[in-house]
Amino acid sequence: MARVALLLSCARRYHRLGLPQVPLLSPSSNPFFSRALSATATTITPVSYPVKPKDPDDERDSDASEAAPSPRSSTSRRPLPASDGGSLPWTREDARFVKDVPVISPVSYPSRVAPLPEYRGPESVEEGVKEERDEDDLLQREAKRIQSGARPRSIFIHQEEVRVPFPTLIVKEKNLQKVPADLLEAIRQVKANAKRQFIETVEAHVNLGVDPRRGDQMVRGALTLPHGTGKSVRVAVFAEGSAAEEARAAGADIVGGDELIEEIKNGGGKLNFDKCIATPTFMPRLSKIARILGPRGLMPNPKLGSVTSNVSGAVKEAKSGRIDFKIDKTAIVHVGLGKVNFSEEALRENIGAFVHALLVAKPVGLKKTSKYAGYVKNFSLCSTMGPGFPVSIQSLSAAADHYNKLQVK
C-alpha cells in the first residue's frame, strides 16, 4: 500500500507541473519505478485528474495582487522559469539561493566617551569651601528663624517650657500591714468608721493556731455577754407540762411539743425564732427536724447549755445575750459582741468575756507554755461594713483579767 501511495503522489506532481508523460512502467525509461514495482506482478496505469475550476472572485483578487505587488513580496513573487518554458512563483526555499537579493548594510553609531571633570586649581578649591560655609550659615539662620517663629514668646507673660519627664517604671506600693493597737484605741477606730445608716454590729474575728480537721482540736463554746448583744432574740422551747409553764414565765416566745415539731417539719424551712432550747426528753424526737435546725446552728446541744432541765434559767440567759461560737474550716472564729452605739467600757467588758471563754475552750492537746502563744494568732475588730483593726494580745489579756475580777466580786 505504501508503494501505491508513492506512485500516486508522483503522478499528481507530474500532472500539476505540466511535464511530459513518461512511461512509468517501463524499466528502461524509469528505473526507480521498476525497482519499486519489481516485487509486484500487476501493472498499474497512471490516472490523470481534471483541474479544479477556479472561482471568479478568487481570480479577480489574484489579478489585483499581481497588478500591485508589495515591495516586501517582490523578491518572493519573482517568476521562476519552468522546464517547459513557462513561469512559476518563487518559494522560500528558492529565494535562499538567489544572488541578486538586496543586502542591508549595518549601521554604525559613533562611540560616546564620558566627559572628564574640569581641573580646578587651589584658588577654585578655596572658593568652593567659602561657598559651602556661606550655605551652612544661611541654613543655620533659616533654622533659627523657624524656631523663633514656632515658639513665640510674650513680653508681658513669662511662659515656662513644659518638660515632659522621661518614662519610668512605677513600683506598685504594697499594702502595709496594720500595726496591732490597744483594745480601747481599736474600739474608737471601729466606732469612727461605722458610717452606715443603720446601727452596725461590732464583730470579732480570731485566727487560731489549731487544726480544725482534728477532733481533739475542735474549739467551740458559749457565753453570756455582760451587756448583751444589743438585739432582741426570739427563743423557742421544746417542753411539756411544768417545764413549758416555766419557759412561758421566763419569757420564751414559742413553747411547744410534738405539735411544734410537726409545724417546723411541714413549714418548708421557715423559722421564726433565733434560739432553740429543749429538755432532755425531747432530744430523740428532734431527730425528725435535725436536717432543718442543724445547718442553721439552731440544733440544741448539751455542750452549749441549750439542752437542760432548768428551762427558765436557759431562757433568761438567751434573752440577756447568750452567744455561741465555733471554729470554721479555716481555723477562724467569727462572733458579734455588741453594737457601735455601746459605750467603750461596755464593749471592752464584752470582749474580755469572749476572750476568757475562748481560753476556757482551748484544746488540751495543744502544748504551749503560754495561754496565748501558738493559740491566738490574730485578733481583729470591725463593724458590719467597716474596715478591720488588729488588736494587741497584751490588751486582750488585760481585758480578760479585768472580767475575771468582776466575776469574783
Side-chain angles (χ1 to χ4, degrees):
M1 295 298 294
R3 293 175 181 176
V4 173
L6 178 62
L7 178 62
L8 294 176
S9 62
C10 292
R12 291 193 192 97
R13 189 179 301 140
Y14 273 83
H15 183 272
R16 185 169 58 254
L17 297 176
L19 299 177
Q21 294 184 1
V22 181
L24 300 176
L25 299 179
S26 60
S28 59
S29 61
N30 196 342
F32 170 74
F33 288 103
S34 64
R35 289 197 305 271
L37 298 176
S38 61
T40 60
T42 58
T43 303
I44 299 174
T45 57
V47 178
S48 61
Y49 295 94
V51 180
K52 184 178 179 180
K54 293 184 178 181
D55 194 3
D57 296 335
D58 296 339
E59 291 179 357
R60 293 178 199 147
D61 295 341
S62 60
D63 295 340
S65 60
E66 289 177 0
S70 61
R72 291 186 178 181
S73 60
S74 59
T75 56
S76 59
R77 293 296 182 181
R78 189 174 294 178
L80 180 67
S83 58
D84 57 350
S87 63
L88 294 175
W90 281 9
T91 61
R92 292 180 179 273
E93 288 78 4
D94 299 333
R96 292 171 60 187
F97 301 98
V98 178
K99 294 182 179 180
D100 57 350
V101 176
V103 180
I104 299 174
S105 61
V107 179
S108 60
Y109 298 94
S111 60
R112 294 183 179 181
V113 181
L116 297 176
E118 298 178 0
Y119 172 74
R120 293 184 179 181
E123 296 179 357
S124 61
V125 173
E126 292 179 359
E127 292 177 358
V129 172
K130 289 180 181 180
E131 292 178 358
E132 292 179 357
R133 289 177 182 175
D134 295 340
E135 290 179 359
D136 293 341
D137 294 340
L138 290 174
L139 291 175
Q140 290 178 2
R141 292 173 186 174
E142 186 68 17
K144 289 180 180 180
R145 187 185 65 79
I146 293 172
Q147 291 178 0
S148 61
R151 293 182 297 176
R153 296 184 180 181
S154 176
I155 301 173
F156 303 99
I157 302 174
H158 179 68
Q159 297 180 355
E160 295 183 357
E161 296 182 0
V162 179
R163 294 184 178 181
V164 180
F166 188 77
T168 57
L169 296 176
I170 300 174
V171 181
K172 183 181 178 181
E173 295 182 358
K174 296 182 179 179
N175 295 328
L176 300 177
Q177 295 183 355
K178 297 180 181 180
V179 180
D182 186 72
L183 180 58
L184 291 176
E185 182 63 25
I187 292 173
R188 295 190 191 100
Q189 292 179 357
V190 169
K191 296 181 70 173
N193 286 275
K195 300 178 181 179
R196 299 298 174 180
Q197 296 180 357
F198 61 94
I199 301 175
E200 301 183 34
T201 302
V202 178
E203 301 175 356
H205 305 275
V206 189
N207 186 7
L208 302 179
V210 296
D211 189 0
R213 294 174 296 179
R214 296 179 58 179
D216 58 342
Q217 293 189 7
M218 180 60 65
V219 178
R220 67 187 307 170
L223 74 150
T224 302
L225 297 177
H227 300 277
T229 58
K231 61 180 181 180
S232 60
V233 180
R234 295 178 59 85
V235 181
V237 179
F238 294 92
E240 291 179 343
S242 59
E245 295 297 332
E246 292 179 3
R248 291 190 183 95
D253 298 290
I254 301 173
V255 179
D258 294 337
E259 68 279 2
L260 182 58
I261 294 175
E262 293 296 330
E263 182 181 353
I264 295 173
K265 184 178 179 180
N266 300 327
K270 295 182 179 180
L271 303 177
N272 55 355
F273 54 86
D274 303 319
K275 293 288 183 181
C276 186
I277 300 172
T279 57
T281 56
F282 263 89
M283 285 303 296
R285 306 179 194 178
L286 293 178
S287 60
K288 298 179 182 179
I289 56 174
R291 292 185 178 180
I292 301 174
L293 300 178
R296 304 185 184 186
L298 299 176
M299 189 67 181
N301 192 340
K303 296 181 180 180
L304 301 178
S306 56
V307 179
T308 178
S309 299
N310 187 10
V311 178
S312 60
V315 171
K316 290 179 181 179
E317 289 180 355
K319 286 286 186 178
S320 61
R322 185 178 179 85
I323 59 172
D324 303 331
F325 61 89
K326 181 182 178 182
I327 193 173
D328 62 1
K329 296 180 180 179
T330 58
I332 299 177
V333 177
H334 311 275
V335 66
L337 299 176
K339 297 290 184 177
V340 292
N341 57 358
F342 284 13
S343 63
E344 296 179 4
E345 190 62 28
L347 290 173
R348 182 172 180 268
E349 291 181 4
N350 283 354
I351 294 170
F354 169 66
V355 173
H356 175 71
L358 201 63
L359 292 176
V360 172
K362 181 180 179 180
V364 180
L366 198 63
K367 297 179 180 180
K368 296 294 178 182
T369 57
S370 175
K371 292 188 296 182
Y372 299 96
Y375 179 50
V376 179
K377 290 185 176 180
N378 298 315
F379 192 101
S380 299
L381 287 179
C382 69
S383 59
T384 303
M385 301 184 70
F389 300 94
V391 183
S392 61
I393 302 298
Q394 292 80 5
S395 61
L396 293 174
S397 178
D401 294 342
H402 179 68
Y403 173 77
N404 289 334
K405 289 179 182 180
L406 294 177
Q407 292 297 321
V408 171
K409 293 180 181 179

